Each structure stands twice: as C-alpha cells, then as structure tokens.
Amino acid sequence: MDKSKSNTGHSNISRASFLLQKLIFGKELLVNETLQTRPLRTIHLKSRPLTSHAISWSCDGELAVATDDTIYIFIPEYPRGGGPDDAGEDEELQSQFSLSYRASGLIRPDPTINAQLCSFSGIRVAGPPANDENWFPGVGNGLVTGSGASICQIVRLEWSPNGLGCNLRPILTALSTNGGVYALGEHIDMQSTMVAGMRTRSFKAWKTLWGLGAQLPLPDASVEDGFRNMNERIQSFSWAKELAPGRALMAYCNDAEEVAIMSVQLFPRPREGEPSIDETIWDIREVGRFDGRGKHTKEDAIDITDPDYVPHGTSFSLDWSPWFLVDGKRVAILAYLAKNYVGFRRITIVGDWERGQTPQVEIEQTDMTSICMFLSTDAYIKWEDQIVTTMARGVIATPFDVKPFQVSFNETAKEATEPHYTWECATTYSKEDEQTSLNPISGVMIHDRDASNVGSVPYYSIVRLSATGKNQDWFQTNLPDAEASLPQWAAKIRKHTTRLIPRAMALEGLDSDSDDSEYDMMEEDSSQLQVHESRYRIWGMASSPGGSVTAVLVSRYSTQHPERRALCKVMFSKDEQAQENGFMPSVRPLTTEGQVWEWMYGNRPEVVGTTAESKISQELHNSPLREQFRDVASRQHCVFCYAGLKMGGDEAKCQNGHMFARCASTGLAIMAPDISPEEHLGAGTMVESSGEVCGGCGGKFVA
C-alpha cells in the first residue's frame, strides 16, 4: 500500500470516528437543529418559468425550479427528534425548504466555466476580452443562436443520478437557450478551512462545475491542442440511471440532430507536487455518437416552405431506461424523439467501468425498434423506473395526448428502414378519429407499482398547461379507483377555477399570490352577473424520491385583468392513500436521505441508523469493513486500566466502567483521534472502505 493510499485510508477511518462522536453528542450530519418534522407549505417565487416541465426533484430530496431569469434550489432539512406527526402541533415551526439558493438563470457561455475541468488535463483556458460585451459569436444553425443573440434563459432542468457529485450527492444540470448545458453543485476542497467549520448543509460550496456545448472548451487528447471548442448548440439532454459512485453517462442532442453519449466522472487522484494529498477532479469524454434524425428526412419534414411542413422540436426528446444486466453486460435503451418519429437505441457498457478509466460503450448501428407518430413541439418521453422480466415501459406526450409504449430488452435490432415522407405513414397531422385535447401536457409522473400487478400500460398522472373554469382535463390519471385520489393542490386549483363570484367584485382585482380568497366567506348572489374568479397556468409536476409527495409549479391569474406581475408558486400534496392505509414499500432503491424524506411525509417505516433509536443500521453492523476489523476489536483493551472491552451496539465498556464510543465504520473503540488502519492491520493492507458515506446509516457527509 503506497503512501497516498495509506493516507487516504487514514483519513477515511478518522473521518468515520469523528462522525460517530458527532452522532453521540447530538450533531448528526444528516439533520439540523430542528426537533420536529417541518411542515410542507406552499413556496412563493418572484418570477415565472419560460417553459413547461420546469421543476425537478433529486434522489436526495433537493428541489429545483427554473424561471425566466432564476434557478431556485431548495435543500430539505431533517428532524433530530420527535415523529413525523409532531409538526402539526407547533404552529411556529419553520416550514420545509426554508434553506434555498437563487442562482442566475442567465448563464453566458464563458470559457472560464471549464477552466478547472481543463486544468485537470494540463490545459490553460483564456477568458473572453474584458472590454468586449459581444464576444460570443453564437453556435448552431439557428438564426438567433447562430448569431449569439439568445438571452441565455433556462429551458430544462434535470438532476444527475445518485452518487455522481461531491460526497456522492447528485448535481443539477440546466439547458440554456444559448445551446449550453451547465452543471451546478458542491465543490468541497478538503484542505480548505471552510470545511472544518461546516456542521450542516449550506450553499457555501456551490458553484458552476462545468459546461458542454456553446463553444465551451472540452479536453480532448485526440486534438493537437489537447482540447476542442464544442461548436454545438445542444437542444436536449438526459442522464442515464445510476451506475456506480462517481460515474454516469449523459446523452445530448444538438441542432444537427446528432445524439452524443458522454461519460462523466468525478474521482480523486494525488495532487501534483503533493502526492500525500488527494484532489478531486472531473473527467468528461465523448464515448459515442449516432444520427438522431429518424426516418422522416424528406422535404415535407425539413423544408419550412413545404405546404405540409409542421413545426417540431423539443427540449425533452431524450430519456434513458433503467439498466438491465444481459450476459454480464449492463444495457440501457435510449429513447429519442425526432420529426414524428420515436427511436429506441440500445446502449451497452462492456466489462467493468473502473473509476478514472474511460468506459467501453457500444452503440448499436440501428434502432432496436421505432414508432412513427405525430409529434408536435415540446413533445415529451419518460420511462417507468422498473423493469418487469425483460420488459421496460413508458409514455410519450405528443404533447396533446398520452401514448404508452413497451420495449423488450431481448428484442433484436431491426434493419434500417429507408427515409420516407410523413404522409406515407400518415403522421403529417394527428389522426382525425383521435379525440385529443388542445391543452398541452406540461407534466408527467409515472407511479411505482408492485411487480406482481403488471398491466400493458404503466400507471401515470399528467397535468396540462391551462386550468380554467371551462376545461376539466388539466389533471388526469389512469390509477385504479381504489388507489386514485385527487391531490390537495389539484382540489385547491379546481376550487379556485370553478368558483363563481360577482363580476363587480372580480374587477376589483385578485391577489394571485394568496391561496385563499375573501370570497370564500361570502354567500352567492344570483342577481349579479357571475364570472369565474381565477385561472391557472401549470408549469410542471414532480414527485419526491419515493413518490409519496407531489409538487406542482403554478401561476394564478385573474380572469378579468391582465396579470403584470411575474409570480409563481410551488404547491405540495401528500399521498392520502399512504396516510390512510399505511406505507407501501418503494420499488426503487432510495438513498438514506430519500428514505428519511419518505418517513417524514409518506408514512414510510423508520430509517434505522437515522430516525430509529439504534444509531447504527443492523446491515452496517455486518458490513465487510466491520468484518475486517472484528478480530482487532476483540483484542482492544481499555487505555486507562488495560482491562478487556465488551462491545455494545454503539459503545464499548470495560469491566471498570470506562466507556468509549465505537467507530461507525469499523466498529473499533475510539481511543484517540486520527487512528490509522496501519496501526491495527499493518502497512500494505487494503481497507475496504470508500469513506464516502456514513458508516452508521449510509447517509452522505456534509463535508
């Protein structure tokens, strides 16, 4: 074991020991100083979104909202004591998501965004001229973006899978109208003095980590200069599902409708000139690319002067299926939307993807299957988060109608079909016999379900963009009647949009930032002209990590006056079925943070090691690392009287009553700070610990 490895193991064990001391003295890293569960209340924001699907929830419970000029990020806060039902008894208790951050949504593609990414490869990036405000030449083929005249607003948000970022936390990625994808998240330098003072989560360490597209530099060893400017306007992107700590795949589609697959990694390496200190670096590489134009490439699909030309295009055209193990290889299906075409391309990772190495990724030459259907602008595709036998399911929002689909992983790739006109497959326009709404879908949520109860169509709920007193299709679900219930936010929207009030009162104006109206207390006066009080614009819908809580992003308007204030709000709803009938086990794996969230608001079971009485999970009591140190722990003696130690759950005690805390990771009694594994196992021993999660509960570190 070399010196750098030894020091890494040393810091890991010391860190775990330090964590257990914090647990014993009531300073859990996963929780804050609050003694009770914080209530979920409506969040009011001071700007409005630019597009639909503008809200996203991470696997750890972080919530992100994109408006026309701001990215709002909310971090959940967890209780230290009490139960999930205690919050209602304390009206003074601060609401959930009070810890928030406002990042500018007007991100310019400055090359220095990737300065640190390039410096890891030994490349120095020069910034734009200080006195030239029009330095960005533009990118892509569009009239506006190609001349650098876009306003750089955010049109899509998505959290990365679990385990990618610092301390295994997800990072937030945002797509801008200038054609760039930007990653935001924590960057913690372990040598910084700021880290020593961190006890709870905050936004002190948040920064723009890197970017793709929009002329940003990207390290590329195949180029003479060692990097290339990404002369691409990215118009859609999507993260693959979780693979391994610090490793993930991302797909993006540019305006030439090429789909690129990128490997994204975060891993430690010895710092240059200081091999005893590790530094954490990002590594981003392109591992493959394919043509994503589909089969409708004739004149009627691409020539805007053609009489049958229909506009198309969406920022939500890509989505990955869950990973599936086939013959020892990890396989996923990347679904992509083109002009009236849905393609399904098989992506395979061959062999083990070692951290710090480039993965071997195989992309099939043709789509394994495809669907020709009418797709309008802002069409959306989403997979179900589970695979039953070999079948993966999902839904497509056209966006006026919902079309379910299913694809088998055993399906062989079909021979490439020839390009054809849209009229040949009758997809130029939507079918006349289909009774579709003219209200576009702005949010889709697929519900988890028991694997034993599988139908041909996944269970889903949708929201549509406009909710008024004259349309009732803005919320729809295909859940069975026994499981379906109207969310609290939907009941409130329906109440506000269907209520009739005297027109004279409606003309007085409406405070659209309030949830209730003074008209609720008034009796209906039929002698006056009655009008609907409010209408709503629904910008997006998201669900919590385990699906027990839903959130919608909405704006409320008066029906009698133009709304000049740019306001919106996030409304929440708990799963009433779970509250009444008890918890349902989640079909998807949840992080410790996600489990705690579902315990607080979804009536899920306690999380051993965090919310339960036991400080350490029973599963972690029998971890490989504890097994490695079990013999060492049995030989430990009291440092005061040299008597043998009896190991308890969280503490060790000698026969004379001297007590010691036990390391959450190794199970050793903590006799002194900075304990190195070499002292017990000898130099050269490989310690089976990543040091990246808490040894007591599996939760993530603050710093």
Short mmCIF file of all heavy atoms in Angstrom, two decimals, residues 327-370:
data_model
loop_
_atom_site.label_atom_id
_atom_site.label_comp_id
_atom_site.label_asym_id
_atom_site.label_seq_id
_atom_site.Cartn_x
_atom_site.Cartn_y
_atom_site.Cartn_z
N ASP A 327 -26.19 -11.00 -20.14
CA ASP A 327 -24.93 -11.72 -20.39
C ASP A 327 -23.75 -11.03 -19.73
O ASP A 327 -22.66 -10.91 -20.31
CB ASP A 327 -24.68 -11.86 -21.90
CG ASP A 327 -25.76 -12.66 -22.60
OD1 ASP A 327 -26.35 -13.54 -21.95
OD2 ASP A 327 -26.03 -12.39 -23.79
N GLY A 328 -23.96 -10.54 -18.51
CA GLY A 328 -22.88 -9.90 -17.78
C GLY A 328 -22.59 -8.47 -18.21
O GLY A 328 -21.66 -7.85 -17.69
N LYS A 329 -23.36 -7.93 -19.14
CA LYS A 329 -23.17 -6.56 -19.61
C LYS A 329 -24.35 -5.70 -19.17
O LYS A 329 -25.49 -6.16 -19.15
CB LYS A 329 -23.05 -6.53 -21.14
CG LYS A 329 -21.91 -7.36 -21.70
CD LYS A 329 -21.92 -7.34 -23.22
CE LYS A 329 -20.83 -8.21 -23.80
NZ LYS A 329 -20.85 -8.22 -25.29
N ARG A 330 -24.05 -4.45 -18.84
CA ARG A 330 -25.11 -3.52 -18.48
C ARG A 330 -25.65 -2.86 -19.73
O ARG A 330 -24.90 -2.27 -20.52
CB ARG A 330 -24.58 -2.47 -17.49
CG ARG A 330 -24.43 -3.00 -16.08
CD ARG A 330 -23.78 -2.01 -15.17
NE ARG A 330 -22.37 -1.83 -15.49
CZ ARG A 330 -21.53 -1.11 -14.77
NH1 ARG A 330 -21.96 -0.48 -13.70
NH2 ARG A 330 -20.26 -1.00 -15.12
N VAL A 331 -26.98 -2.96 -19.89
CA VAL A 331 -27.63 -2.49 -21.11
C VAL A 331 -28.74 -1.52 -20.73
O VAL A 331 -29.49 -1.75 -19.77
CB VAL A 331 -28.21 -3.66 -21.93
CG1 VAL A 331 -28.90 -3.15 -23.19
CG2 VAL A 331 -27.13 -4.66 -22.28
N ALA A 332 -28.85 -0.43 -21.47
CA ALA A 332 -29.95 0.52 -21.33
C ALA A 332 -30.46 0.87 -22.72
O ALA A 332 -29.74 0.72 -23.72
CB ALA A 332 -29.52 1.77 -20.58
N ILE A 333 -31.70 1.32 -22.78
CA ILE A 333 -32.29 1.74 -24.04
C ILE A 333 -32.48 3.25 -23.99
O ILE A 333 -33.14 3.76 -23.08
CB ILE A 333 -33.64 1.05 -24.30
CG1 ILE A 333 -33.46 -0.48 -24.28
CG2 ILE A 333 -34.22 1.50 -25.63
CD1 ILE A 333 -34.77 -1.23 -24.36
N LEU A 334 -31.88 3.94 -24.93
CA LEU A 334 -32.03 5.39 -25.02
C LEU A 334 -33.15 5.70 -26.01
O LEU A 334 -33.06 5.39 -27.20
CB LEU A 334 -30.73 6.04 -25.48
CG LEU A 334 -30.76 7.56 -25.69
CD1 LEU A 334 -31.11 8.28 -24.39
CD2 LEU A 334 -29.43 8.06 -26.24
N ALA A 335 -34.23 6.29 -25.50
CA ALA A 335 -35.35 6.69 -26.36
C ALA A 335 -35.13 8.13 -26.81
O ALA A 335 -34.76 8.99 -26.00
CB ALA A 335 -36.66 6.56 -25.61
N TYR A 336 -35.36 8.39 -28.10
CA TYR A 336 -35.17 9.75 -28.61
C TYR A 336 -36.32 10.09 -29.55
O TYR A 336 -36.89 9.24 -30.23
CB TYR A 336 -33.82 9.89 -29.31
CG TYR A 336 -33.65 9.09 -30.59
CD1 TYR A 336 -33.88 9.68 -31.83
CD2 TYR A 336 -33.26 7.76 -30.56
CE1 TYR A 336 -33.73 8.96 -33.00
CE2 TYR A 336 -33.10 7.03 -31.72
CZ TYR A 336 -33.34 7.64 -32.94
OH TYR A 336 -33.19 6.92 -34.11
N LEU A 337 -36.67 11.38 -29.56
CA LEU A 337 -37.74 11.89 -30.41
C LEU A 337 -37.15 12.69 -31.55
O LEU A 337 -36.28 13.54 -31.34
CB LEU A 337 -38.70 12.78 -29.60
CG LEU A 337 -39.32 12.18 -28.33
CD1 LEU A 337 -40.25 13.20 -27.68
CD2 LEU A 337 -40.07 10.90 -28.64
N ALA A 338 -37.62 12.42 -32.75
CA ALA A 338 -37.24 13.19 -33.93
C ALA A 338 -38.53 13.68 -34.60
O ALA A 338 -39.59 13.71 -33.97
CB ALA A 338 -36.40 12.34 -34.87
N LYS A 339 -38.45 14.07 -35.85
CA LYS A 339 -39.63 14.55 -36.56
C LYS A 339 -40.63 13.40 -36.73
O LYS A 339 -40.42 12.48 -37.52
CB LYS A 339 -39.21 15.10 -37.93
CG LYS A 339 -40.37 15.43 -38.86
CD LYS A 339 -41.24 16.55 -38.32
CE LYS A 339 -42.35 16.89 -39.32
NZ LYS A 339 -43.24 17.96 -38.82
N ASN A 340 -41.72 13.42 -35.92
CA ASN A 340 -42.78 12.40 -35.99
C ASN A 340 -42.23 10.98 -35.91
O ASN A 340 -42.72 10.06 -36.57
CB ASN A 340 -43.62 12.56 -37.26
CG ASN A 340 -44.41 13.85 -37.26
OD1 ASN A 340 -44.39 14.60 -36.28
ND2 ASN A 340 -45.10 14.13 -38.34
N TYR A 341 -41.20 10.82 -35.09
CA TYR A 341 -40.51 9.53 -35.01
C TYR A 341 -39.99 9.33 -33.59
O TYR A 341 -39.43 10.25 -32.98
CB TYR A 341 -39.35 9.51 -36.00
CG TYR A 341 -38.53 8.24 -36.03
CD1 TYR A 341 -38.89 7.18 -36.85
CD2 TYR A 341 -37.38 8.10 -35.25
CE1 TYR A 341 -38.13 6.01 -36.89
CE2 TYR A 341 -36.62 6.95 -35.28
CZ TYR A 341 -37.00 5.90 -36.11
OH TYR A 341 -36.25 4.75 -36.14
N VAL A 342 -40.17 8.11 -33.07
CA VAL A 342 -39.62 7.73 -31.77
C VAL A 342 -38.68 6.55 -31.99
O VAL A 342 -39.11 5.49 -32.47
CB VAL A 342 -40.73 7.34 -30.77
CG1 VAL A 342 -40.13 7.06 -29.40
CG2 VAL A 342 -41.78 8.42 -30.69
N GLY A 343 -37.41 6.73 -31.66
CA GLY A 343 -36.43 5.67 -31.84
C GLY A 343 -35.95 5.13 -30.51
O GLY A 343 -35.90 5.85 -29.51
N PHE A 344 -35.58 3.85 -30.49
CA PHE A 344 -35.09 3.20 -29.28
C PHE A 344 -33.74 2.56 -29.62
O PHE A 344 -33.68 1.58 -30.37
CB PHE A 344 -36.08 2.15 -28.78
CG PHE A 344 -37.44 2.72 -28.45
CD1 PHE A 344 -38.45 2.76 -29.41
CD2 PHE A 344 -37.71 3.22 -27.19
CE1 PHE A 344 -39.70 3.29 -29.12
CE2 PHE A 344 -38.96 3.75 -26.89
CZ PHE A 344 -39.95 3.79 -27.85
N ARG A 345 -32.67 3.12 -29.05
CA ARG A 345 -31.31 2.69 -29.38
C ARG A 345 -30.69 2.00 -28.16
O ARG A 345 -30.69 2.55 -27.06
CB ARG A 345 -30.47 3.89 -29.80
CG ARG A 345 -29.11 3.55 -30.40
CD ARG A 345 -29.25 2.84 -31.73
NE ARG A 345 -29.90 3.63 -32.75
CZ ARG A 345 -29.26 4.25 -33.74
NH1 ARG A 345 -27.94 4.17 -33.83
NH2 ARG A 345 -29.94 4.91 -34.66
N ARG A 346 -30.15 0.80 -28.37
CA ARG A 346 -29.55 0.03 -27.28
C ARG A 346 -28.12 0.53 -27.02
O ARG A 346 -27.31 0.64 -27.94
CB ARG A 346 -29.53 -1.46 -27.62
CG ARG A 346 -28.97 -2.33 -26.49
CD ARG A 346 -28.87 -3.79 -26.89
NE ARG A 346 -30.15 -4.47 -26.85
CZ ARG A 346 -30.79 -4.94 -27.90
NH1 ARG A 346 -30.27 -4.77 -29.11
NH2 ARG A 346 -31.94 -5.58 -27.78
N ILE A 347 -27.83 0.83 -25.75
CA ILE A 347 -26.51 1.28 -25.31
C ILE A 347 -25.97 0.25 -24.33
O ILE A 347 -26.64 -0.09 -23.35
CB ILE A 347 -26.56 2.67 -24.63
CG1 ILE A 347 -27.37 3.66 -25.48
CG2 ILE A 347 -25.16 3.17 -24.34
CD1 ILE A 347 -26.73 4.03 -26.78
N THR A 348 -24.75 -0.25 -24.56
CA THR A 348 -24.18 -1.32 -23.74
C THR A 348 -22.83 -0.90 -23.18
O THR A 348 -21.99 -0.35 -23.90
CB THR A 348 -24.00 -2.61 -24.57
OG1 THR A 348 -25.25 -2.98 -25.15
CG2 THR A 348 -23.48 -3.75 -23.70
N ILE A 349 -22.64 -1.14 -21.88
CA ILE A 349 -21.32 -0.95 -21.26
C ILE A 349 -20.67 -2.32 -21.15
O ILE A 349 -21.18 -3.22 -20.47
CB ILE A 349 -21.45 -0.30 -19.87
CG1 ILE A 349 -22.07 1.09 -19.99
CG2 ILE A 349 -20.08 -0.21 -19.19
CD1 ILE A 349 -22.25 1.79 -18.66
N VAL A 350 -19.55 -2.49 -21.81
CA VAL A 350 -18.85 -3.78 -21.85
C VAL A 350 -17.82 -3.81 -20.73
O VAL A 350 -16.99 -2.91 -20.61
CB VAL A 350 -18.18 -3.99 -23.22
CG1 VAL A 350 -17.46 -5.33 -23.26
CG2 VAL A 350 -19.20 -3.89 -24.34
N GLY A 351 -17.86 -4.86 -19.93
CA GLY A 351 -16.88 -5.01 -18.86
C GLY A 351 -17.15 -4.06 -17.70
O GLY A 351 -18.15 -3.35 -17.64
N ASP A 352 -16.21 -4.06 -16.76
CA ASP A 352 -16.32 -3.19 -15.59
C ASP A 352 -15.79 -1.80 -15.93
O ASP A 352 -14.76 -1.66 -16.58
CB ASP A 352 -15.52 -3.77 -14.42
CG ASP A 352 -16.13 -5.07 -13.91
OD1 ASP A 352 -17.35 -5.22 -14.04
OD2 ASP A 352 -15.37 -5.92 -13.41
N TRP A 353 -16.50 -0.81 -15.46
CA TRP A 353 -16.06 0.58 -15.63
C TRP A 353 -15.32 0.99 -14.37
O TRP A 353 -15.92 1.32 -13.36
CB TRP A 353 -17.27 1.47 -15.89
CG TRP A 353 -16.92 2.92 -16.13
CD1 TRP A 353 -15.67 3.47 -16.18
CD2 TRP A 353 -17.83 3.99 -16.34
NE1 TRP A 353 -15.74 4.81 -16.42
CE2 TRP A 353 -17.06 5.17 -16.52
CE3 TRP A 353 -19.22 4.09 -16.40
CZ2 TRP A 353 -17.64 6.41 -16.74
CZ3 TRP A 353 -19.79 5.33 -16.63
CH2 TRP A 353 -19.02 6.47 -16.80
N GLU A 354 -14.00 0.94 -14.44
CA GLU A 354 -13.18 1.31 -13.30
C GLU A 354 -13.14 2.82 -13.16
O GLU A 354 -13.09 3.55 -14.15
CB GLU A 354 -11.75 0.76 -13.45
CG GLU A 354 -11.67 -0.76 -13.52
CD GLU A 354 -12.11 -1.42 -12.22
OE1 GLU A 354 -12.05 -0.74 -11.17
OE2 GLU A 354 -12.51 -2.60 -12.26
N ARG A 355 -13.13 3.27 -11.93
CA ARG A 355 -13.13 4.71 -11.67
C ARG A 355 -11.84 5.33 -12.19
O ARG A 355 -10.74 4.85 -11.91
CB ARG A 355 -13.27 4.96 -10.17
CG ARG A 355 -13.86 6.32 -9.83
CD ARG A 355 -14.32 6.37 -8.40
NE ARG A 355 -15.00 7.61 -8.09
CZ ARG A 355 -15.54 7.88 -6.91
NH1 ARG A 355 -15.47 6.99 -5.94
NH2 ARG A 355 -16.15 9.03 -6.70
N GLY A 356 -11.98 6.39 -12.95
CA GLY A 356 -10.82 7.06 -13.53
C GLY A 356 -10.46 6.56 -14.92
O GLY A 356 -9.58 7.13 -15.57
N GLN A 357 -11.15 5.51 -15.40
CA GLN A 357 -10.89 4.96 -16.72
C GLN A 357 -12.06 5.28 -17.65
O GLN A 357 -13.19 5.50 -17.21
CB GLN A 357 -10.69 3.45 -16.64
CG GLN A 357 -9.58 3.02 -15.70
CD GLN A 357 -8.22 3.53 -16.13
OE1 GLN A 357 -7.90 3.52 -17.32
NE2 GLN A 357 -7.42 3.98 -15.17
N THR A 358 -11.79 5.29 -18.95
CA THR A 358 -12.84 5.53 -19.93
C THR A 358 -13.64 4.25 -20.16
O THR A 358 -13.04 3.20 -20.41
CB THR A 358 -12.25 6.01 -21.27
OG1 THR A 358 -11.47 7.18 -21.05
CG2 THR A 358 -13.34 6.32 -22.27
N PRO A 359 -14.95 4.29 -20.06
CA PRO A 359 -15.74 3.07 -20.23
C PRO A 359 -15.77 2.63 -21.69
O PRO A 359 -15.65 3.44 -22.61
CB PRO A 359 -17.13 3.48 -19.75
CG PRO A 359 -17.20 4.94 -20.04
CD PRO A 359 -15.81 5.47 -19.80
N GLN A 360 -15.95 1.33 -21.88
CA GLN A 360 -16.12 0.80 -23.23
C GLN A 360 -17.62 0.72 -23.51
O GLN A 360 -18.33 -0.13 -22.97
CB GLN A 360 -15.48 -0.59 -23.37
CG GLN A 360 -15.56 -1.15 -24.78
CD GLN A 360 -14.92 -2.52 -24.89
OE1 GLN A 360 -14.26 -2.99 -23.96
NE2 GLN A 360 -15.12 -3.18 -26.02
N VAL A 361 -18.10 1.63 -24.33
CA VAL A 361 -19.53 1.76 -24.60
C VAL A 361 -19.80 1.37 -26.05
O VAL A 361 -19.13 1.85 -26.97
CB VAL A 361 -20.02 3.20 -24.35
CG1 VAL A 361 -21.49 3.34 -24.70
CG2 VAL A 361 -19.79 3.58 -22.89
N GLU A 362 -20.78 0.49 -26.23
CA GLU A 362 -21.19 0.07 -27.57
C GLU A 362 -22.57 0.63 -27.88
O GLU A 362 -23.50 0.50 -27.08
CB GLU A 362 -21.21 -1.46 -27.68
CG GLU A 362 -19.84 -2.11 -27.57
CD GLU A 362 -19.92 -3.62 -27.71
OE1 GLU A 362 -21.06 -4.15 -27.73
OE2 GLU A 362 -18.86 -4.27 -27.79
N ILE A 363 -22.69 1.28 -29.04
CA ILE A 363 -23.96 1.83 -29.50
C ILE A 363 -24.36 1.07 -30.75
O ILE A 363 -23.60 1.01 -31.72
CB ILE A 363 -23.84 3.33 -29.81
CG1 ILE A 363 -23.31 4.09 -28.59
CG2 ILE A 363 -25.18 3.90 -30.26
CD1 ILE A 363 -23.02 5.55 -28.86
N GLU A 364 -25.53 0.47 -30.74
CA GLU A 364 -25.97 -0.30 -31.91
C GLU A 364 -26.13 0.62 -33.11
O GLU A 364 -26.48 1.80 -32.98
CB GLU A 364 -27.27 -1.03 -31.61
CG GLU A 364 -27.09 -2.20 -30.67
CD GLU A 364 -28.19 -3.24 -30.82
OE1 GLU A 364 -29.21 -2.93 -31.47
OE2 GLU A 364 -28.02 -4.35 -30.29
N GLN A 365 -25.88 0.07 -34.28
CA GLN A 365 -25.90 0.86 -35.50
C GLN A 365 -27.30 1.30 -35.89
O GLN A 365 -27.47 2.33 -36.55
CB GLN A 365 -25.27 0.05 -36.65
CG GLN A 365 -23.80 -0.28 -36.42
CD GLN A 365 -22.94 0.97 -36.31
OE1 GLN A 365 -23.07 1.90 -37.12
NE2 GLN A 365 -22.07 1.00 -35.32
N THR A 366 -28.30 0.53 -35.51
CA THR A 366 -29.69 0.86 -35.87
C THR A 366 -30.56 0.79 -34.63
O THR A 366 -30.18 0.22 -33.61
CB THR A 366 -30.23 -0.11 -36.94
OG1 THR A 366 -30.18 -1.45 -36.42
CG2 THR A 366 -29.40 -0.03 -38.21
N ASP A 367 -31.75 1.35 -34.73
CA ASP A 367 -32.71 1.29 -33.63
C ASP A 367 -33.23 -0.13 -33.48
O ASP A 367 -33.51 -0.81 -34.48
CB ASP A 367 -33.88 2.24 -33.89
CG ASP A 367 -33.45 3.69 -33.89
OD1 ASP A 367 -32.41 4.00 -33.28
OD2 ASP A 367 -34.15 4.52 -34.51
N MET A 368 -33.38 -0.57 -32.23
CA MET A 368 -33.92 -1.91 -32.00
C MET A 368 -35.41 -1.96 -32.34
O MET A 368 -35.92 -3.01 -32.72
CB MET A 368 -33.67 -2.34 -30.55
CG MET A 368 -34.20 -1.39 -29.50
SD MET A 368 -33.58 -1.79 -27.85
CE MET A 368 -34.14 -3.47 -27.66
N THR A 369 -36.09 -0.84 -32.21
CA THR A 369 -37.48 -0.70 -32.66
C THR A 369 -37.77 0.78 -32.78
O THR A 369 -36.99 1.62 -32.32
CB THR A 369 -38.46 -1.38 -31.68
OG1 THR A 369 -39.78 -1.36 -32.23
CG2 THR A 369 -38.48 -0.66 -30.35
N SER A 370 -38.88 1.12 -33.41
CA SER A 370 -39.22 2.53 -33.61
C SER A 370 -40.72 2.67 -33.79
O SER A 370 -41.43 1.69 -34.04
CB SER A 370 -38.48 3.10 -34.83
OG SER A 370 -38.86 2.40 -36.01
#
